[in-house]
Amino acid sequence: MTLIRIPQIWSASENQITAETLYWNRRRFIKTLIGAGIGASILPLAGCDSSNSAVGKSASQTALEASLDLPKITNLTQNPAFTKVQRPITEEKLAGQYNNFYEYGGTKKIWLNAQKLPTENWKVEVTGLVNNPQTYDIDELKQKFPLEERVYRFRCVEAWSMVLPWIGFPMKKLIEAVEPTSKAKYVRFTSFYDPEITTGPGFHIGSLPWPYQEGLRIEEMANELAFFAVGIYGHDLPKQHGAPLRMVIPWKYGFKGAKSIVKIEFLDSQPATYWNTIDSREYDFEANVNPNKPHPRWSQATEKFISKGPGLSWDIKETLAYNGYGEYVGHLYS
Ligand code: MTE
């Protein structure tokens, strides 16, 4: 077992804490920007998160704590099938300051910038090939579908992982409520996007396929594990984790879990999705966690499991097929 310890996540240099994919993804973004004819003057912006570098450690810590200090969710049950996994739950402050949310920037340190996400009066439209289309207010959703807590493993395609205690409801409950027609075969999930607000440096220009969209086969969405999260660590979802509603698909790589969802559409054919459109060879539509299928640029056989602070550190663990959830989902892919 290898343990790599870096003293303070907020003082570590980008290279120290940035997973190799992120580094390369950033190069790809920069290449995309160049390809799109964007001038060299904006390139330095794409390489740093200026909002964070301007904040000192203690101010930063105070702001981080404030971003996680959210209303508790009390009307919930613990699903006995998902109270623990064989690894400890990742510390909340670590998970809350090590995120991917490209609308708010291209580093892991977007938590502060993501506080711009406007979550008031949030509506979620459920439409397409359904008998009972709905537009839900977020509070209505939280009342309508009984909430439960589930501890799930979380595995990013960049080969880091966490264990997270989500609060939400199974996606199959929404399927029951809107009654898809027999023509519905796929589902597309769309994240909030407003170029005036989502200000990831340089990322809204050129050919990047905003808004962030993801998709599932309808059988995948109906699986027991597929989950909509409205909370985490006992309280409402922080903005950096995709408030107020996000997808959690624990047997797939994390990029399949679109954040801050505003629209859900039932379709008859496979939708285009964000990363798959950027590079289909590296990010396939199915994206099931698979230790035997290397990413074109790195192995997926092991992962960096992030669990304990105060600084960022990880243990190297073996990657599990379907992220350890084969008994629930293996039959979907036979
Ligand atoms: N959803 C949106 N809208 N934008 C994103 O950039 N990143 C994805 C996914 N959902 C992303 C997104 C990726 S690559 C990962 S690994 C997870 O969110 C990270 O979730 P977390 O930051 O809550 O750990």
Side-chain angles (χ1 to χ4, degrees):
M1 186 173 70
T2 316
L3 186 65
I4 304 164
R5 221 159 242 294
I6 295 169
Q8 309 263 279
I9 189 170
W10 52 87
S11 65
S13 80
E14 274 303 295
N15 282 353
Q16 280 174 295
I17 64 164
T18 302
E20 47 276 51
T21 29
L22 185 62
Y23 174 74
W24 287 106
N25 281 339
R26 203 183 293 152
R27 287 178 65 91
R28 181 187 314 279
F29 272 116
I30 290 168
K31 265 167 60 189
T32 309
L33 292 174
I34 291 168
I38 304 302
S41 61
I42 75 154
L43 294 182
L45 274 180
C48 72
D49 184 353
S50 54
S51 61
N52 272 300
S53 59
V55 178
K57 177 188 156 187
S58 64
S60 173
Q61 280 301 291
T62 308
L64 176 67
E65 281 162 19
S67 79
L68 304 175
D69 185 16
L70 295 162
K72 302 257 173 296
I73 300 180
T74 49
N75 57 330
L76 59 85
T77 54
Q78 289 217 317
N79 186 316
F82 306 112
T83 51
K84 57 179 180 214
V85 298
Q86 283 149 343
R87 299 176 188 176
I89 292 177
T90 299
E91 283 180 10
E92 177 173 12
K93 281 195 204 165
L94 271 184
Q97 62 182 307
Y98 192 81
N99 305 95
N100 278 337
F101 206 167
Y102 280 84
E103 289 89 330
Y104 300 94
T107 74
K108 289 282 174 289
K109 298 187 286 180
I110 54 72
W111 64 267
L112 188 55
N113 209 25
Q115 303 314 308
K116 293 175 182 159
L117 170 72
T119 51
E120 307 76 39
N121 302 316
W122 195 273
K123 302 267 187 291
V124 183
E125 186 188 357
V126 190
T127 182
L129 300 169
V130 292
N131 291 321
N132 190 18
Q134 297 286 333
T135 297
Y136 293 107
D137 178 83
I138 192 70
D139 293 329
E140 193 187 338
L141 261 186
K142 285 158 106 174
Q143 294 297 326
K144 182 174 172 62
F145 299 107
L147 300 181
E148 46 181 88
E149 185 175 63
R150 294 186 179 196
V151 174
Y152 276 163
R153 277 185 282 267
F154 181 88
R155 173 63 155 79
C156 179
V157 71
E158 297 165 347
W160 54 268
S161 66
M162 297 187 182
V163 170
L164 300 171
W166 302 104
I167 297 167
F169 58 93
M171 288 189 172
K172 65 180 179 189
K173 296 287 177 199
L174 183 80
I175 298 181
E176 285 162 21
V178 298
E179 298 171 19
T181 69
S182 59
K183 291 200 177 116
K185 305 280 182 244
Y186 289 88
V187 189
R188 173 166 57 206
F189 304 82
T190 302
S191 295
F192 173 83
Y193 176 67
D194 178 344
E196 299 295 318
I197 296 170
T198 53
T199 53
F203 290 170
H204 307 286
I205 323 161
S207 56
L208 296 174
W210 304 111
Y212 196 100
Q213 290 183 314
E214 257 309 331
L216 294 174
R217 278 165 40 205
I218 198 163
E219 297 82 10
E220 295 176 318
M221 183 178 177
N223 185 268
E224 171 62 25
L225 294 178
F227 203 62
F228 282 119
V230 297
I232 192 169
Y233 296 103
H235 52 64
D236 282 356
L237 211 50
K239 295 186 177 186
Q240 56 267 46
H241 283 301
L245 179 78
R246 72 171 285 166
M247 306 165 67
V248 182
I249 313 293
W251 71 98
K252 294 180 181 286
Y253 292 119
F255 71 85
K256 292 296 292 182
K259 296 178 166 184
S260 304
I261 291 173
V262 290
K263 195 170 186 182
I264 300 166
E265 296 160 274
F266 289 76
L267 309 169
D268 58 5
S269 56
Q270 184 177 306
T273 56
Y274 183 80
W275 286 105
N276 185 258
T277 302
I278 291 174
D279 193 333
S280 59
R281 212 175 57 94
E282 300 202 358
Y283 310 103
D284 64 326
F285 181 85
E286 196 168 84
N288 292 330
V289 175
N290 185 348
N292 302 318
K293 185 175 170 196
H295 185 276
R297 289 182 279 112
W298 59 87
S299 165
Q300 294 288 23
T302 60
E303 62 198 43
K304 296 169 184 164
F305 174 55
I306 298 170
S307 69
K308 245 170 100 63
L312 177 66
S313 66
W314 52 75
D315 297 315
I316 303 295
K317 302 270 191 198
E318 285 191 2
T319 301
L320 304 173
Y322 300 112
N323 205 19
Y325 296 105
E327 64 177 301
Y328 291 93
V329 297
H331 66 278
L332 291 172
Y333 309 103
S334 52

